Amino acid sequence: MKKLVVTGVALVLLASSCAGDGDAGVTAEPSTTASTVDRGMGDDRDGEPDGSTLRVEAVSTGAEYVTGDSVVLAVHGATDDATLTVGEVEQPLVDAAPRRTHDAGPPAALEGARLVEVTGLVPGDTTVTITDDAGQAGLDLTVHPVTGPVFSGPHQEPYLCTAEGFGLAPPDDDCHTDPITKQRYLGSDGMWTEVDAGTAPDPDVVSIGGTGVPVVVEVEIGTINRAVYEIAVPQGWNGMLVYTFGGGCGTGFWQGTFLGSEPMDNTELLAAGYAVASSTLNTFQTTCNDVVSAESLMMVKEHFIETFGVPRWTVGQGGSGGAIQQYLIAQNYPGLLDALNPLVSFPDAVTIAPGVTDCGLLAGFWAGEAGSTFTADQRLAVQGHGSLGFCAAWIETYVPVVDPTIGCAVAVPRSLIYDPFVNATGARCTLQDANVNLFGRDDDGLGRRPLDNVGVEYGRAALESGAITVDQFLDLNEGIGGYDLDGAITPERMVADPMVIRDAYRHGRVLHGDSAIAEVPVIDVDLYSDLGFDIHDRFRLFSVRDRMEGPDADPEARTRVIWTRGGGGLTDLVEAPLPNVEMVGLLVEWLENAADGTPVADARPEGLTDECETDGTRFEGDRLYREQNGCTDAFPIHGDPRTAAGAPRANDIIKCTLRPVDLVGYGVPFDDAQAARLARIFPDGTCDWSTTGQGQVPLGGTWLRYPDPDLEDVR
């Protein structure tokens, strides 16, 4: 395996779009408790049970997802003389001894339990048994290597190691190396300074929330799941873990870097007492694979618990591609994140990809003779955005990923990348090829691609409004074309494999509304940039809302609130000051309010609602975005080429259902020649956006494993 040290990487735009769809079997949510034993009902059953139970469960991870050589267990109802057996070997029952403690209290499910650590585990299946004078409780474990994979499928190859760029020792062939630990303190100048061995911080040090506890942070950097992770824990840890997710949308083939998610950059959160963690595989620019991201989160969180202690709550935070990861992890791997704080959100990668790749097709059409007749205003009406800068930004960032020769990170050597003439077996830098565990392969061994534009009437809204003529509408739809599998624009439109579309929905590559995420508190923040050069359309937040709530939902019974601030462009988004501590604090309060079983929708902190700030004026209320006001006037919602073709704002249709061409529906007259031409352009019909799409099925389950050799095996 070739290793590459990357000491720096250019920051790309904070989010792109497109992840995988799946060939996965559906499993149940990971079980932690294997058995319980009624007290007094062991071998000696002379007495009646006293109602208490002996029970053991895995705490640091699911029992079937243990990684590395240790696991933390919770033992409920055991007497002091209880013993532990691992397989056939008896061990002392050793209390877990984390490096950090906190006063926030354990999660409610662990109250009263004894936390013990089991060490010396090796990959494979084993059983741990707790025995005391009243009986036994056993737990079956499945142990995996700390380098993974666990449920994401076979490792991606080739894969370049970047660990040395983080100050780590040269890694092995699995990009794994020993961790390093540092201590840093926060000075009054806002800068972090490393604590020299054996010396205390300067007296001029910031304290945590004015408590007098100095902000001294233990930082651990290492490798887990072939990713570089970083964990930062203040010595006055408040018991809460913030897990950060980075933006972008890359094809992988390397260990990567952080992009907007490095824990030590979260100075305000650390200074408020929060622990912060992340890994390079939780940066979508490293690899645009939400399943690998979920797996990496699970494994890093397991290590965190075993090393530093059990957090009371885990809150996700991150923008753009980081928002996609939070939403899909909460939907598909429930329990890993307790609350979400996405910024400049997209719902998922698969359903925004059609409108994004349309930008490249439209650019090709504008460059031709027929396209040259469209004015700037006409092009904007067809593209659907608030600014022509949106398609321009997508073409600069995401659209190249359709080309297998240029979509990889600049760090990946050309010698490893596919070239149709000199290296036909090289790494194909498209998202479907990079994520074949999720997409599956076609008959030629290539990743199946969930892109389709059959029946899409580009510019329909522009035609209906009178912005373009009938002939322009026909020219556009006759000349739009599609991409072949090597990213070249062809006259033919794209036809997606029905299987890849169905699996995108049932395996969770698409964000559904009727899923576990509906019970997760969310504060979603929009920095309005619809009129600039950007990719973060405001309507994406409302796509999520439409999917999760539907048109008839009670706005007061809401588990997701939206905050709006003025943006401007990509630089503003990267540098925008955000109230991170306030947002995370409100999410923690929300979780605490629901900890007694109160429904999440009823547990919102008092005063937490949709809000909007513009020109120094603040608007708020549960009906804020349903009514016309200063906020909706200042921050209008636009769309993309698919919504401009008639798709609903929910924008959750990958391949539309077709209906016969209906000349009356356009509201403008077609002469006989134009009508005949329209019929030739759409011989199978046009999109019926009023109904569900082809292959649009409900979510098939959670905690999926990839790949599944039998695609029909959905239980």
Side-chain angles (χ1 to χ4, degrees), residues 42 58 64 75 105 194 315 381 507 543 615:
E64 56 267 64
V75 180
E194 195 158 330
V315 178
H507 292 158
S543 292
D615 295 330

Side-chain angles (χ1 to χ4, degrees), residues 22-63:
D23 288 345
V26 178
T27 67
E29 184 170 347
S31 61
T32 55
T33 303
S35 64
T36 63
V37 176
D38 286 336
R39 308 297 296 155
M41 294 292 287
D43 292 336
D44 181 3
R45 302 195 179 194
D46 292 336
E48 292 294 322
D50 61 11
S52 61
T53 60
L54 174 63
R55 182 165 56 91
V56 58
E57 61 182 327
V59 170
S60 51
T61 189

Side-chain angles (χ1 to χ4, degrees), residues 1 159-163 171-177 223 226-227 255:
M1 175 179 294
Y159 194 78
L160 308 180
C161 305
T162 60
D172 62 20
D173 286 347
D174 279 323
C175 292
H176 186 68
T177 187
T223 56
R226 303 203 308 174
Q255 203 167 17

Side-chain angles (χ1 to χ4, degrees), residues 142-316:
T142 300
V143 183
H144 307 265
V146 73
T147 53
V150 180
F151 51 71
S152 66
H155 278 150
Q156 186 184 61
E157 297 293 345
Y159 194 78
L160 308 180
C161 305
T162 60
E164 290 175 83
F166 294 86
L168 297 171
D172 62 20
D173 286 347
D174 279 323
C175 292
H176 186 68
T177 187
D178 292 334
I180 58 175
T181 302
K182 304 176 181 180
Q183 280 197 327
R184 295 174 181 158
Y185 69 88
L186 181 63
S188 59
D189 59 0
M191 303 298 291
W192 292 102
T193 302
E194 195 158 330
V195 179
D196 294 331
T199 65
D202 275 348
D204 189 20
V205 62
V206 176
S207 70
I208 293 179
T211 61
V213 179
V215 183
V216 179
V217 175
E218 183 175 356
V219 184
E220 182 178 295
I221 304 172
T223 56
I224 288 175
N225 201 29
R226 303 203 308 174
V228 176
Y229 71 87
E230 181 176 305
I231 293 171
V233 186
Q235 68 178 23
W237 180 33
N238 64 12
M240 315 302 167
L241 172 62
V242 177
Y243 203 96
T244 58
F245 298 86
C249 189
T251 56
F253 301 109
W254 68 317
Q255 203 167 17
T257 186
F258 293 101
L259 181 63
S261 61
E262 187 168 8
M264 283 304 296
D265 288 342
N266 291 275
T267 298
E268 293 180 349
L269 287 169
L270 293 168
Y274 293 94
V276 186
S278 191
S279 88
T280 55
L281 286 179
N282 297 116
T283 295
F284 242 27
Q285 188 56 35
T286 297
T287 183
C288 201
N289 184 319
D290 62 279
V291 176
V292 167
S293 178
E295 181 179 74
S296 300
L297 161 62
M298 180 189 73
M299 295 172 71
V300 172
K301 187 174 176 181
E302 175 189 10
H303 174 72
F304 181 97
I305 292 170
E306 293 166 5
T307 306
F308 297 99
V310 181
R312 182 165 176 82
W313 305 112
T314 301
V315 178

Side-chain angles (χ1 to χ4, degrees), residues 268-400:
E268 293 180 349
L269 287 169
L270 293 168
Y274 293 94
V276 186
S278 191
S279 88
T280 55
L281 286 179
N282 297 116
T283 295
F284 242 27
Q285 188 56 35
T286 297
T287 183
C288 201
N289 184 319
D290 62 279
V291 176
V292 167
S293 178
E295 181 179 74
S296 300
L297 161 62
M298 180 189 73
M299 295 172 71
V300 172
K301 187 174 176 181
E302 175 189 10
H303 174 72
F304 181 97
I305 292 170
E306 293 166 5
T307 306
F308 297 99
V310 181
R312 182 165 176 82
W313 305 112
T314 301
V315 178
Q317 190 176 73
S320 199
I324 291 174
Q325 293 169 80
Q326 292 178 70
Y327 276 126
L328 294 186
I329 289 171
Q331 170 181 275
N332 301 325
Y333 296 91
L336 291 177
L337 295 172
D338 298 308
L340 314 182
N341 187 198
L343 319 170
V344 290
S345 293
F346 296 106
D348 58 66
V350 168
T351 58
I352 72 171
V356 171
T357 53
D358 286 344
C359 284
L361 297 177
L362 288 169
F365 176 75
W366 305 141
E369 181 179 353
S372 66
T373 68
F374 286 69
T375 67
D377 287 344
Q378 288 176 324
R379 294 181 185 188
L380 185 59
V382 170
Q383 291 175 192
H385 301 117
S387 162
L388 289 174
F390 269 73
C391 264
W394 279 120
I395 290 168
E396 287 293 319
T397 55
Y398 169 79
V399 173

